[in-house]
Amino acid sequence: MTNPAPKPWEHTKAGQGSAADPLAARFVSSLDYDKRLYTHDIQGSIAHARMLKHVNLITADDLKQIEAGLNEIESEITEQGDAWPGWKVELEDVHMCIEAALIEKTGDAGRKLHTGRSRNDQVALDIRLWLDDASDRISDSIYELIRALVELAEKQGEVVMPSYTHLQRAQPIVVGSELMSWATALDRTVEQIAMADYMFNPLGSGAIAGSALPLDRMHTTGQLSRTYNADGEVIHYGMTELETNSIYATASRDTALNFVFSLSMTSMWLSRWAEQWIIYASTEFGFITLDDLYTTGSSMMPQKQNPDMLELIRGKTGLVYGSLMALLTMCKGLTIGYNRDLQEDKRHVFAAYDSVCDCLDMATRIVKTTKFNEDRIKQGLDKGFLDATSLAEYLVTKGVPFRTAHQVVGKLVQACRDKGYEKLSLLSLDDFNAACVASGGKKVVEKDVYDWLGPENVVKRYQTAGNAGLSGFQEQLKAWKERMKDDGAEG
Ligand code: ARG
């Protein structure tokens, strides 16, 4: 059998190498999934080539041919996608396919591109460049979702609703404050995403030990940093620092891990939100109505409108957590330095990323089309003594120690239940005062107590910073609108 496209290292072997066994060729290949790194691979190669020219390891003419060849290859791949004839499984991966195509186009100039470089530092660079872009895309999508939440809050944010702890009725809040809670959580995940160490350039670390050639790593880094807009403002920082240890630089997948952890956190929040809205969309709650676009029917039960999109957002979290576990597990047994196990990293990074992108876009559409059912929420608002804590706080304002107030209100709630009253406000001043006296206190309750009762009154009374009532919501809404106005998409 002849070797159809010999890999550049096979000449060290007596036989034909892995390319001669189709299973081995496919097994060792990552082409299926790493093709999507092609723009970043080419970006890194051009930076490397410019550096090689800068330190006189290649000529100006070599560089010209390399740049032209790589740019041509990039357009070809962009145009032809999977059909690009340069994709050859026996060449293993995106790096080798692009380099082979370059050599085909440019001969010796192309043969010089890999000077002082290994696929180990090359792939470490490519994945970071890709992650950096992906983090921008994810952050933009998260801000789109936040924007949708803010818009819904503007429309229906002042509707009074119950809050839940332990999924039991707690205190009254407004819809907007709950919507802003999701926005706050998502905003934190954006901060988390930005924290992965995208800025450290591993290129120049070679296979593990660096190189005896006079590579100028800062020069390469300079090529990969800072994108400016037409006004000369920095719109992207990119790589700004050197990885300081060539062994770590080629052995580590920490950036990928940080990124997938951030995706896991994003998924976790999306899943909690989905769960909340699945409950709210149930007949029992009826707090929200989902648009028909985002529910599905049953093949058997004609009446059904199932919140499948929300369920899938919740369910897809499994894939994202799985990707994180896969990556962590993959790294745990490896000696320091590159091991081929690391090739599998991209499979999990891409799977998690694709899933979270889809979930975010779907969530945004759901939020944009969902309505809170004000009347329905209102009907049940008197259930569960949501104003009990407010009553205790009223007593505190009249000088009753909080622990005593808590006890008094507990007794009053019990009294209501005994009398079949649903609301504390049905009690008389005498009832309130009798309970105070029974707990060893004075008759401190006056007519103004009724201003502290009823969910609508309570949400107006919260005054702590960040509260879930009207004032807290309005403050947060204002801040969000301000951020979104200032920063365009950046929320
Ligand atoms: N496709 C490989 C990866 O993603 C490239 C590295 C191969 N390196 C090696 N020393 N065999 O990890």
Side-chain angles (χ1 to χ4, degrees):
M1 214 191 299
T2 54
N3 197 333
K7 298 183 220 186
W9 50 84
E10 299 295 12
H11 54 262
T12 63
K13 295 182 182 165
Q16 293 163 324
S18 55
D21 177 348
L23 174 60
R26 180 171 63 72
F27 197 80
V28 80
S29 167
S30 49
L31 204 48
D32 265 2
Y33 49 91
D34 71 11
K35 275 178 197 167
R36 66 195 278 180
L37 291 176
Y38 76 94
T39 45
H40 301 95
D41 190 71
I42 289 173
Q43 186 193 359
S45 286
I46 290 178
H48 184 66
R50 287 181 183 167
M51 181 278 292
L52 291 176
K53 154 72 188 57
H54 175 71
V55 299
N56 296 319
L57 283 166
I58 63 173
T59 65
D61 184 55
D62 291 331
L63 176 62
K64 212 169 129 202
Q65 290 190 57
I66 290 171
E67 283 205 40
L70 288 172
N71 287 330
E72 231 173 77
I73 291 168
E74 184 169 2
S75 333
E76 286 168 19
I77 300 176
T78 304
E79 234 166 69
Q80 299 167 39
D82 284 352
W84 183 57
W87 299 132
K88 293 177 183 150
V89 76
E90 60 281 5
L91 286 178
E92 297 191 1
D93 54 30
V94 62
H95 323 293
M96 297 309 304
C97 288
I98 291 176
E99 191 188 334
L102 181 70
I103 291 172
E104 216 169 282
K105 283 184 196 291
T106 65
D108 273 351
R111 281 188 195 94
K112 293 179 189 172
L113 173 63
H114 212 52
T115 308
R117 187 173 71 165
S118 152
R119 277 186 298 167
N120 299 354
D121 59 343
Q122 184 177 2
V123 72
L125 173 73
D126 290 5
I127 185 83
R128 278 193 204 179
L129 293 173
W130 183 89
L131 286 167
D132 197 3
D133 282 348
S135 76
D136 283 352
R137 152 77 163 95
I138 286 278
S139 303
D140 287 351
S141 298
I142 292 177
Y143 282 127
E144 280 306 305
L145 175 53
I146 293 177
R147 190 181 292 280
L149 289 163
V150 170
E151 278 163 15
L152 180 55
E154 270 190 282
K155 275 189 266 168
Q156 293 199 281
E158 296 191 0
V159 172
V160 180
M161 73 184 289
S163 67
Y164 296 83
T165 62
H166 314 265
L167 199 52
Q168 301 291 322
R169 289 194 163 212
Q171 290 176 277
I173 57 169
V174 291
V175 161
S177 66
E178 191 175 283
L179 294 172
M180 294 300 92
S181 76
W182 303 122
T184 306
L186 290 164
D187 193 30
R188 290 292 158 83
T189 68
V190 173
E191 283 172 25
Q192 183 74 40
I193 289 168
M195 268 159 51
D197 46 2
Y198 312 106
M199 72 291 258
F200 294 98
N201 176 18
L203 201 65
S205 301
I208 180 164
S211 167
L213 297 168
L215 308 181
D216 181 346
R217 296 189 56 211
M218 265 330 276
H219 189 276
T220 325
T221 307
Q223 307 289 323
L224 298 168
S225 73
R226 291 196 174 77
T227 318
Y228 299 90
N229 67 12
D231 303 328
E233 295 157 357
V234 177
I235 49 170
H236 191 85
Y237 281 91
M239 301 242 154
T240 50
E241 323 266 329
L242 289 185
E243 274 296 2
T244 53
N245 181 294
S246 63
I247 307 177
Y248 171 82
T250 47
S252 153
R253 288 298 178 269
D254 291 358
T255 313
L257 277 161
N258 282 333
F259 180 75
V260 178
F261 172 72
S262 309
L263 294 181
S264 300
M265 218 167 88
T266 309
S267 288
M268 181 268 289
W269 278 111
L270 288 177
S271 185
R272 284 183 77 161
W273 161 77
E275 168 72 3
Q276 190 94 26
W277 278 27
I278 288 167
I279 291 172
Y280 285 173
S282 66
T283 306
E284 284 69 16
F285 269 76
F287 282 12
I288 58 171
T289 302
L290 299 169
D291 195 279
D292 285 349
L293 280 170
Y294 306 120
T295 60
T296 65
S298 151
S299 57
M300 183 167 177
M301 299 171 282
Q303 86 286 10
K304 292 284 285 211
Q305 286 204 329
N306 297 324
D308 297 45
M309 311 301 161
L310 288 169
E311 292 166 84
L312 284 165
I313 288 173
R314 189 179 56 189
K316 285 170 191 278
T317 308
L319 180 143
V320 184
Y321 287 9
S323 305
L324 179 62
M325 285 319 295
L327 267 178
L328 283 167
T329 310
M330 201 190 311
C331 292
K332 86 178 237 311
L334 303 183
T335 54
I336 192 81
Y338 179 85
N339 290 269
R340 195 63 181 255
D341 317 43
L342 292 175
Q343 172 162 286
E344 294 278 313
D345 62 348
K346 292 169 282 297
R347 200 192 279 286
H348 304 292
V349 170
F350 295 154
Y353 169 79
D354 290 340
S355 183
V356 174
C357 283
D358 262 5
C359 289
L360 283 167
D361 295 349
M362 182 49 63
T364 302
R365 287 171 197 219
I366 293 172
V367 172
K368 279 187 171 161
T369 52
T370 293
K371 285 188 193 65
F372 275 80
N373 301 322
E374 186 168 0
D375 293 345
R376 173 66 194 262
I377 297 172
K378 208 170 182 165
Q379 277 165 27
L381 214 49
D382 286 331
K383 294 209 165 57
F385 302 101
L386 293 165
D387 47 6
T389 309
S390 177
L391 177 56
E393 292 190 338
Y394 168 80
L395 294 174
V396 167
T397 67
K398 300 289 175 180
V400 181
F402 179 74
R403 276 286 159 241
T404 310
H406 187 281
Q407 210 177 357
V408 170
V409 178
K411 293 231 173 77
L412 288 166
V413 167
Q414 198 49 50
C416 280
R417 288 195 176 120
D418 293 345
K419 292 181 189 190
Y421 291 175
E422 276 200 336
K423 311 196 250 189
L424 284 161
S425 62
L426 292 174
L427 295 170
S428 67
L429 286 181
D430 286 345
D431 293 329
F432 290 124
N433 281 318
C436 292
V437 172
S439 293
K442 295 193 198 121
K443 296 184 178 184
V444 293
V445 179
E446 295 168 74
K447 250 176 52 200
D448 60 345
V449 69
Y450 295 104
D451 298 337
W452 289 66
L453 296 176
E456 277 87 359
N457 284 331
V458 177
V459 295
K460 288 187 202 138
R461 300 208 81 93
Y462 298 130
Q463 51 174 322
T464 44
N467 73 72
L470 272 177
S471 64
F473 160 56
Q474 276 151 0
E475 217 169 281
Q476 290 169 57
L477 182 67
K478 204 172 123 209
W480 269 112
K481 282 169 65 179
E482 210 48 47
R483 275 182 65 177
M484 297 196 148
K485 191 171 69 202
D486 284 353
D487 249 352
E490 294 278 293

